[in-house]
Amino acid sequence: MKAINIGLRWPASPATAMLAAVSLTKLNAMPRLLYSLFFYLILPLVLLRLGYRALRAPDYRRRIGERFGFVSAPEQTGGLWVHAVSVGESIAAAPLIQHMLDRHPELPIVVTCMTPTGSSRIRAMFGQQVHHVYAPYDLPGAVTRFLRRTQPRAAVIMETEIWPNMVQITARRGIPVVLANARLSARSARGYQRLSGLSRPVMQAFSRIVAQGQDDADRFLSIGARPDQLRVSGSIKFDVAIPDTLRQHAQQTRKQFGQDRPVWIAASTHDGEDSILLDAHQRVLKQQPDALLVLVPRHPERFDAVAKLVAARGLRCQRRSTESAISPDTQVLLGDTMGELLLLLGTADIAFIGGSLVPRGGHNSLEAAAWGLPVLAGPSDFNFAQISELLQTAGGLSLLDSAESIAAELIALFADSEMRETRGRNALAVVEANRGALAKLIEEVEGALTG
């Protein structure tokens, strides 16, 4: 049987789960019943993996019942269900959710995710304005239980969470399901094509698939979607908004750091990247002794390990969570708080986007671009290939693959304010030129709500 990763996104992806089931059964096409049986069989492994995660991140051991559909019912039913698997999707969904809260205050909204980091971000953004619980595992009983308790009028699933039971059971209950900001890589499309007996009914269960680009739409067609289901909107990540209050907060925070000192941020870093970035920072310090690195690990369970790594380098470090004033001789500020990444990006002169020096496919660089920052990243960018290409073509993004090249780029940008500002303007121009996807998505979601 093909090995599958049942970690943060259980399993790693719907396509991976389906392919694993096919390998298990030796069938070329598989009904949803057999797919469901496969997940029931691996349930003990899922729970073991959840326990392993809980050793590093205690939040994984909390609210386990919600993952099986035992969720608290919202005060009012008949509203909108938005599923955003983790932090990135939660951020992408935020403008849609905020629009619905502002324009339709009477509409109850249930927001689900699968990870503690996503949960923290949802709570930080919306508090008690939405009803937040974990999404159910893709088991028929769990999904049915969740729907009976929440009773949504329409559902929005963000980006790539194409789970057969979640989609089909919801649709069969007469609830329109919109796949929003949808993207599908060529590799995933090939995986789904091998499972046409399962993937085609799932695709056709969506009331609308709002794809980021035409290439994505074409791939959805190739795995069973109908032309009348598809709409190309662009990526709603371009519609990132930075409120005036946040800009003011960022300016005040930057003054606390030191208005004239060079500041760069390494955002959403993964294990294996921090050492490279600290090497780069130490090289920068030889040229710019007062430079400050704001280092923000992607996952909170890594905060302590990264702090130890910084200390082992002999670098003077402060933790953001202490809320103490930043000393002029501090060399690394560890961003160990939740929900502050957009703020911290606004304090920097240059941004490096993590998940790209290791084969994770990168993270969203548009928040940094929206601040008008020159953007740096590693070579692994397959999760945001189109965005990466646009930013590179415009001269707002540089892809680098080593501590030496990152340091050289930082030193050059710090030394030349005109070049730094030009690259930042180039990045911002890409964001401004591609706005508008959110309005198209809102139109589709409101149509689903009104039927």
Side-chain angles (χ1 to χ4, degrees), residues 21-249:
V22 167
S23 298
L24 178 69
T25 60
K26 306 297 184 183
L27 296 175
N28 292 324
M30 177 187 58
R32 187 160 56 91
L33 177 63
L34 194 54
Y35 161 86
S36 300
L37 176 61
F38 166 74
F39 276 112
Y40 279 117
L41 288 173
I42 68 167
L43 193 54
L45 297 177
V46 173
L47 295 176
L48 284 173
R49 183 63 170 174
L50 194 65
Y52 172 75
R53 288 287 182 185
L55 294 176
R56 299 176 60 190
D59 282 344
Y60 274 101
R61 70 170 67 107
R62 302 185 179 104
R63 299 160 54 196
I64 293 176
E66 293 181 4
R67 299 181 185 274
F68 292 91
F70 294 101
V71 300
S72 59
E75 293 183 4
Q76 183 181 351
T77 58
L80 179 65
W81 168 29
V82 179
H83 175 53
V85 63
S86 190
V87 174
E89 293 80 5
S90 299
I91 294 170
L96 169 66
I97 297 169
Q98 192 61 57
H99 169 88
M100 292 298 173
L101 290 171
D102 294 340
R103 193 64 62 89
H104 306 284
E106 78 291 350
L107 180 73
I109 300 177
V110 175
V111 184
T112 61
C113 68
M114 292 298 292
T115 69
T117 50
S119 178
S120 296
R121 192 60 184 265
I122 291 165
R123 284 176 164 163
M125 290 189 293
F126 299 111
Q128 299 302 311
Q129 293 179 285
V130 303
H131 186 76
H132 166 59
V133 293
Y134 282 132
Y137 286 150
D138 201 42
L139 303 168
V143 173
T144 300
R145 194 176 299 115
F146 169 86
L147 291 172
R148 283 175 179 166
R149 296 185 179 209
T150 57
Q151 298 181 41
R153 193 193 322 167
V156 176
I157 296 176
M158 297 300 299
E159 297 196 5
T160 58
E161 291 301 290
I162 310 170
W163 293 105
N165 286 317
M166 180 183 288
V167 176
Q168 290 182 266
I169 292 174
T170 303
R172 288 181 180 180
R173 292 174 72 92
I175 301 167
V177 185
V178 177
L179 184 61
N181 207 41
R183 56 188 173 90
L184 186 66
S185 69
R187 179 181 179 182
S188 292
R190 289 192 296 271
Y192 284 117
Q193 286 167 355
R194 292 173 57 189
L195 304 166
S196 59
L198 181 61
S199 64
R200 183 174 295 274
V202 179
M203 292 302 110
Q204 297 188 356
F206 286 107
S207 62
R208 183 71 81 183
I209 299 173
V210 186
Q212 291 188 20
Q214 188 59 52
D215 288 345
D216 297 296
D218 291 342
R219 292 181 189 121
F220 280 111
L221 285 172
S222 76
I223 64 172
R226 301 185 310 273
D228 63 288
Q229 291 176 281
L230 283 158
R231 183 174 184 183
V232 177
S233 68
S235 173
I236 64 172
K237 288 183 167 68
F238 286 104
D239 289 278
V240 59
I242 303 175
D244 290 340
T245 53
L246 186 64
R247 291 186 183 276
Q248 294 169 5
H249 191 183

Side-chain angles (χ1 to χ4, degrees), residues 355-383:
S356 57
L357 288 170
V358 291
R360 298 299 297 265
H363 291 296
N364 181 18
S365 55
L366 292 175
E367 290 182 318
W371 278 106
L373 301 181
V375 183
L376 314 180
S380 180
D381 64 352
F382 57 81
N383 284 332

Side-chain angles (χ1 to χ4, degrees), residues 221-301:
L221 285 172
S222 76
I223 64 172
R226 301 185 310 273
D228 63 288
Q229 291 176 281
L230 283 158
R231 183 174 184 183
V232 177
S233 68
S235 173
I236 64 172
K237 288 183 167 68
F238 286 104
D239 289 278
V240 59
I242 303 175
D244 290 340
T245 53
L246 186 64
R247 291 186 183 276
Q248 294 169 5
H249 191 183
Q251 291 174 358
Q252 295 167 358
T253 305
R254 175 57 188 262
K255 288 179 181 178
Q256 296 170 8
F257 292 176
Q259 193 69 48
D260 297 326
R261 69 187 305 191
V263 178
W264 68 289
I265 184 170
S268 298
T269 64
H270 288 254
D271 188 26
E273 294 186 303
D274 305 286
S275 293
I276 298 171
L277 295 165
L278 290 171
D279 281 345
H281 189 52
Q282 288 179 306
R283 292 170 184 268
V284 171
L285 288 171
K286 293 177 181 178
Q287 300 292 324
Q288 299 274 1
D290 60 340
L292 175 67
L293 165 61
V294 182
L295 181 58
V296 187
R298 178 72 171 181
H299 300 113
E301 61 264 29

